[in-house]
């Protein structure tokens, strides 16, 4: 374990390197930080930090830069993450609150997170398996067509048109709509198949083909893996970043949604704020990056995750604060829908 003085030196090195992008020397630390010791003592502490693997010297005559191990200790020892200003909090509420449906909420969240952090933002769609039915609507469109709309408590809207029906009577459609809502509202989507299993038998024989067609489309929509959908934003921010690996490797890794989903899945329990630094990321393309993620959901019910991808040389307190705040507000927006 490092003593408090060496931890203070490491913290100063991380802060200066993040701010300046330049290796940090002992004299600069003594000039810019109130460490209470001489440059010679700081140099001795830097030698000790280097021997322990927390910092490294990129060139013989240069100062030191943090290693992945140094960033990890810095993040683990953070007493607080940087809080957002009141103006930033109001901007988040206004920006996310103006969205009209889940697709727009996700799109706005990605843009907002990329703007706040100047990193690449990643937002995973809420899992339908963790959602409940809020309403089912059936709308006759023509003699042989009906539109089914399924609305979940997380704001997800599934809209399907059912063609080729033998007969679409207004009374039959309304009866089926009422039965579906009585059977399904408040039910988890995973419980829907069992809840509708006996429903056609409760209808007159002439109305059963309509019920069977609607239920077939309804159940088909539930097996689609919407939780495997993610949205990226702010990839243009990569141009201003520096990576130890090539930018091409990072871009190629970002294009692989399966890899991103697996990484998000590996990052702890959903409500937690999690930071993976450099080699802690299992995919080769992300070993020069840090990924900061958090879960979002409704109350205690986790739905999915969001986060940012950037270089290991990032403003960890500010990035962690932004990710945590946006995840919290996103959960509140979904809970209020």
């Amino acid at each position: 374990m490092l003593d408090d003085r060496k931890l203070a030196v490491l913290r100063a090195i991380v802060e200066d390197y993040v701010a300046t992008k330049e290796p940090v020397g002992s004299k600069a630390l003594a000039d810019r930080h109130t460490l209470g010791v001489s440059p010679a003592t700081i140099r001795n502490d830097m030698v000790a930090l280097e021997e322990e693997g927390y910092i490294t010297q990129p060139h013989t005559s240069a100062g030191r830069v943090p290693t992945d191990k140094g960033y990890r200790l810095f993040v683990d020892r953070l007493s607080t993450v940087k809080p957002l200003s009141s103006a930033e909090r109001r901007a988040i509420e206004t920006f996310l609150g103006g969205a009209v449906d889940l697709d727009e909420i996700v799109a706005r969240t990605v843009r907002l997170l990329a703007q706040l952090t100047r990193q690449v933002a990643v937002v995973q769609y809420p899992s339908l398996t963790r959602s409940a039915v809020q309403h089912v609507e059936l709308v006759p469109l023509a003699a042989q067509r009906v539109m089914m709309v399924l609305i979940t408590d997380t704001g997800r809207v599934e809209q399907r048109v059912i063609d080729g029906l033998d007969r679409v009577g207004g009374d039959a459609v309304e009866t089926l709509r009422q039965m579906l809502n009585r059977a399904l509202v408040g039910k988890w989507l995973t419980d829907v198949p069992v809840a509708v299993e006996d429903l056609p038998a409760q209808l007159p024989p002439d109305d059963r083909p309509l019920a069977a067609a609607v239920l077939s489309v309804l159940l088909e929509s539930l097996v689609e893996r919407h939780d495997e959908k993610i949205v990226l934003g702010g990839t243009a921010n990569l141009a201003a970043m520096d990576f130890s690996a090539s930018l091409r490797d990072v871009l190629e890794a970002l294009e692989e949604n399966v890899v991103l989903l697996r990484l998000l899945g590996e990052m702890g329990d959903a409500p937690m704020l999690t930071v993976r630094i450099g080699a802690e990321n299992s995919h080769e393309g992300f070993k020069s990056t840090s990924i900061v993620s958090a879960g979002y959901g409704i109350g205690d019910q986790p739905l999915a995750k969001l986060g940012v991808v950037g270089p290991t040389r990032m403003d960890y307190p500010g990035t962690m604060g932004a990710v945590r705040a946006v995840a919290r507000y996103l959960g509140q927006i979904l809970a209020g829908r």
Side-chain angles (χ1 to χ4, degrees), residues 37-239:
V37 293
S38 67
T41 301
I42 294 174
R43 278 195 296 275
N44 291 335
D45 288 341
M46 292 175 73
V47 169
L49 289 169
E50 187 171 8
E51 290 175 348
E52 292 289 329
Y54 293 106
I55 60 175
T56 187
Q57 190 173 22
H59 308 290
T60 304
S61 59
R64 269 68 166 183
V65 301
T67 62
D68 289 356
K69 183 180 178 181
Y71 284 126
R72 168 50 59 196
L73 184 60
F74 173 79
V75 168
D76 290 346
R77 289 303 184 96
L78 280 177
S79 56
T80 58
V81 298
K82 182 181 176 182
L84 298 183
S85 67
S86 57
E88 287 172 325
R89 292 196 298 271
R90 286 195 302 270
I92 292 175
E93 292 176 358
T94 302
F95 192 63
L96 294 185
V100 297
D101 57 28
L102 183 63
D103 289 331
E104 188 176 359
I105 289 173
V106 171
R108 288 188 178 214
T109 300
V110 166
R111 287 167 52 198
L112 178 67
L113 198 51
Q115 290 170 0
L116 286 173
T117 64
R118 300 298 178 188
Q119 315 284 355
V120 179
V122 182
V123 178
Q124 181 183 13
Y125 263 74
S127 170
L128 279 180
T129 61
R130 298 175 181 176
S131 303
V133 177
Q134 183 174 325
H135 183 70
V136 180
E137 190 60 60
L138 296 177
V139 182
L141 299 179
Q144 295 179 307
R145 302 178 75 201
V146 169
M147 181 172 68
M148 183 202 73
V149 182
L150 171 68
I151 303 172
T152 73
D153 62 344
T154 56
R156 184 81 199 178
V157 178
E158 291 293 308
Q159 182 174 300
R160 303 294 175 90
V161 174
I162 305 161
D163 288 306
L165 300 170
D166 292 335
R167 180 176 66 87
V168 178
D171 291 343
V173 171
E174 177 60 21
T175 298
L176 180 57
R177 185 190 72 82
Q178 292 179 8
M179 292 180 69
L180 285 171
N181 281 287
R182 281 197 300 269
L184 298 182
V185 170
K187 289 279 198 314
W188 293 112
L189 297 190
T190 50
D191 296 333
V192 167
V194 173
V196 300
E197 188 175 13
D198 299 327
L199 195 146
Q202 302 172 33
L203 291 165
D206 288 347
D207 295 338
R208 290 174 188 173
L210 170 64
V214 170
L215 293 180
S216 175
V217 173
L218 172 64
L219 297 177
E220 180 184 296
S221 69
L222 298 183
V223 300
E224 295 184 357
R225 297 298 304 276
H226 292 286
D227 55 330
E228 292 187 351
K229 182 178 179 182
I230 58 175
V231 179
L232 295 179
T235 51
N237 291 331
L238 290 172

Side-chain angles (χ1 to χ4, degrees), residues 12-13 15-17 19-20 22-35:
I13 292 171
E15 291 173 352
D16 280 10
Y17 183 57
T20 67
E22 299 292 336
V24 182
S26 56
K27 186 175 186 307
L29 289 178
D31 291 341
R32 288 196 287 254
H33 299 270
T34 308
L35 296 173

